[in-house]
Amino acid sequence: KQWYQRRVRELREFGLEPVLRLAESKAGPVVSDNGNFIVDAMFSGVHNWDALETKMCRTPGIVETGLFIDYAKVAYFGMEDGSVSVVRKPTLTGFLGNYASWIV
């Protein structure tokens, strides 16, 4: 319990609101095959996703982030009205921004 509380505190310091994922068909939290808790983290506002992932990966006790930075060139989002929104990653040609900050 102390370990979990420490990780929650650290995630809050990163600007996230962590929530332990609870199982639907059994009592208690969702546990990975390796015995780790799965924690979902809500956020508000825009983050430097690349820096956040690096900071989280360097935090002892955090095994994986699930941010998937720079993995895809296009993302498809199902909207409430049934439509699909398509977001394409900008190309590097003439692009001077932080291209790695896309989360898909």
Side-chain angles (χ1 to χ4, degrees), residues 9-72:
R9 187 171 46 252
E10 290 167 343
L11 290 171
R12 286 190 176 130
E13 289 171 4
F14 295 154
L16 305 172
E17 186 53 45
V19 177
L20 182 63
R21 187 182 296 178
L22 297 177
E24 294 180 13
S25 60
K26 70 173 188 85
V30 174
V31 180
S32 73
D33 292 341
N34 293 327
N36 300 309
F37 291 134
I38 308 295
V39 176
D40 296 312
M42 304 301 291
F43 57 89
S44 61
V46 177
H47 290 270
N48 179 337
W49 300 112
D50 202 22
L52 178 62
E53 182 182 47
T54 299
K55 202 181 329 182
M56 289 175 68
C57 287
R58 292 180 179 168
T59 301
I62 295 179
V63 178
E64 183 58 61
T65 68
L67 291 178
F68 307 109
I69 292 178
D70 225 12
Y71 280 69

